[in-house]
Structure formats: C-alpha cells, structure tokens
Amino acid sequence: IQLTQSPSSLSASVGDRVTITCRASQGISNYFAWYQQKPGEAPKLLIYAASTLQSGVPSRFSGSGSGTDFTLTITSLQPEDFATYYCQQLTYYSLTFGGGTKVEIK
Amino acid sequence: EVQLSDSGGGLVQPGESLRLSCAASGFTFSGYAVSWVRQAPGKGLEWVSAIGRDGVTHYADSVKGRCTISMDNSRNTLYLQMNSLRAEDSAVYYCARYSYDSSNFYGMDVWGLGTTVTVSS
C-alpha cells in the first residue's frame, strides 16, 4: 500500500489553520497514524486509529478520515509546531510512511 | 520510565555486516510489536522490519534477504542483523514499539533516539 501525502511542504504563520492530507492506494480502515518530527529528534506520535489524539498532545491537533483519505489539521499553528509531519499505515505485512510534509514559518 | 535505547551503529564498508540492538526499559517487549524504521540523511521515514506479538517477522522489500530481525525476551532486547550492506542503507535507524488489535492501530508510541549507520568505502 502506498501513501501519498500533500503538500510536501507549506509555509504558514503562527495562528494559521493548517491541513495536511494523506491518500492511501487501498482502503486501510483505522490502521492509520500521524507523527511529528523535529530536526535531530525521533518522530513523535500525534494521532492513532486515524482520529484519536495521543495522550499529552495538544488539542489543536486533530485527525479525520477513513478508507483511503485522511487529514491532519492543526488549528492555530504555534511556534513549536514547525516540523515535518508523516502519515503511516499498518497492514499485516508492512508499515508504510507517507513522504512527509514540512511545515515552515512564513 | 518507559524507553528504548538503540545502539550498534557505525561506519562499515559496502558488503560488510552490522548488528543493531534496542534495549527496552520500563516495559516488556512481549506485550507489543516492535519495528525498525530508518531515515537517510535529508530524507523521510522508511519502515525496515517488524516483529509482531505473534513472533512473525516482516521486512521491507529493500532489505528482504539481507536483514534479520529478532528478539531476546530474556534480555528484553530487539536486534537487527544487517548483512551485505550498501551505501543506500546509510541512515539513522530507530527502533519503535507499536500495538494494534482487530479494529485499530495504536501507533508507534515509544521510539529510541536512533543509531547511525554509515556504509562507505
């Protein structure tokens, strides 16, 4: 299964609403997660089961979607949110990541 | 504290082998599936291999036949044996635990800090 993330990068300002999409080549139900990665750090789990916020993650992050189309939304972008975001899917035999979306400061 | 400590990376020549280790503390691997994920310099995340709660192993096509994932439950340690290394295997390698059931994937919630593998002559 392939995951296509868009856009690959975006520029936004503090306070903006940001939406990142991820499309799967086949339906994957709830076997879907979103991660945030900052330079030099390991990825951090934000959203699992497509729409459930991981403990400790701010509520400005939300996930939605099912089947083949998924969305990560950040309402009111904060300075600490400038990072790269990845989607991921799980099937029995593989875990695939999307290509990533780099969120930069405008 | 729940954490993963990955190690074993280094500089090797093409064709050589390396074994990466990932030690768990604060939890036992037996309750989770575990995976290796790598990131080449300036590139995105690439899943490499996983071992499920059932002990079944899975590999990305890019490493199939060259890598072996294993676990020593007595040491609570995960391994990745990498053989016939190529320049394109150069990356930071992370171990991560994850869980799932018949309805949901709960994500990779604990990650190691990463260990760097460089394959170069």
Side-chain angles (χ1 to χ4, degrees), chain B residues 32-53:
Chain B
Y32 297 89
V34 285
S35 180
W36 289 96
V37 175
R38 68 184 181 185
Q39 187 169 37
K43 302 297 184 182
L45 301 173
E46 180 189 14
W47 171 72
V48 174
S49 180
I51 184 165
R53 294 193 308 263

Side-chain angles (χ1 to χ4, degrees), chain B residues 4 13 20 23-24 36 38 47 53 59 61 66 69 74 77 80 92 97 104-106 110 119-120:
Chain B
L4 294 172
Q13 295 191 346
L20 306 183
W36 289 96
R38 68 184 181 185
W47 171 72
R53 294 193 308 263
Y59 300 92
D61 288 343
R66 300 188 298 121
I69 189 171
S74 66
T77 301
L80 184 68
V92 175
R97 79 173 191 186
N104 292 302
F105 170 44
Y106 297 98
V110 179
V119 184
S120 174

Side-chain angles (χ1 to χ4, degrees), chain A residues 3-104:
Chain A
L3 294 178
T4 303
Q5 251 182 273
S6 60
S8 56
S9 65
L10 64 90
S11 295
S13 300
V14 172
D16 283 354
R17 178 185 181 94
V18 168
T19 300
I20 299 168
T21 63
C22 187
R23 173 163 288 178
S25 57
Q26 300 176 38
I28 53 178
S29 187
N30 270 0
Y31 292 87
F32 190 84
W34 289 99
Y35 299 85
Q36 176 194 68
Q37 187 182 33
K38 297 180 179 179
E41 298 184 3
K44 172 187 173 183
L45 177 65
L46 297 176
I47 302 283
Y48 64 87
S51 60
T52 303
L53 198 66
Q54 172 70 351
S55 175
V57 174
S59 58
R60 62 180 179 274
F61 291 92
S62 65
S64 63
S66 64
T68 60
D69 294 303
F70 299 86
T71 300
L72 174 70
T73 300
I74 311 171
T75 57
S76 190
L77 196 68
Q78 296 301 299
E80 59 268 30
D81 301 337
F82 291 95
T84 302
Y85 294 84
Y86 294 92
C87 57
Q88 183 194 35
Q89 67 84 29
L90 167 71
T91 62
Y92 176 72
Y93 52 86
S94 75
L95 299 103
T96 312
F97 290 94
T101 297
K102 187 173 184 178
V103 177
E104 299 176 300

Side-chain angles (χ1 to χ4, degrees), chain B residues 1-5 22-29 75-76 97 110:
Chain B
E1 181 185 2
V2 171
Q3 62 181 14
L4 294 172
S5 299
C22 173
S25 56
F27 73 101
T28 57
F29 274 135
R75 296 176 181 267
N76 214 22
R97 79 173 191 186
V110 179

Side-chain angles (χ1 to χ4, degrees), chain B residues 40-108:
Chain B
K43 302 297 184 182
L45 301 173
E46 180 189 14
W47 171 72
V48 174
S49 180
I51 184 165
R53 294 193 308 263
D54 55 4
V56 176
T57 59
H58 307 279
Y59 300 92
D61 288 343
S62 58
V63 302
K64 198 171 292 183
R66 300 188 298 121
C67 291
T68 302
I69 189 171
S70 62
M71 186 182 299
D72 185 336
N73 287 315
S74 66
R75 296 176 181 267
N76 214 22
T77 301
L78 175 74
Y79 301 100
L80 184 68
Q81 177 68 42
M82 301 189 296
N83 301 324
S84 303
L85 282 161
R86 308 166 179 167
E88 54 265 36
D89 295 317
S90 296
V92 175
Y93 284 73
Y94 298 99
C95 59
R97 79 173 191 186
Y98 65 98
S99 56
Y100 58 92
D101 59 27
S102 59
S103 302
N104 292 302
F105 170 44
Y106 297 98
M108 293 180 167

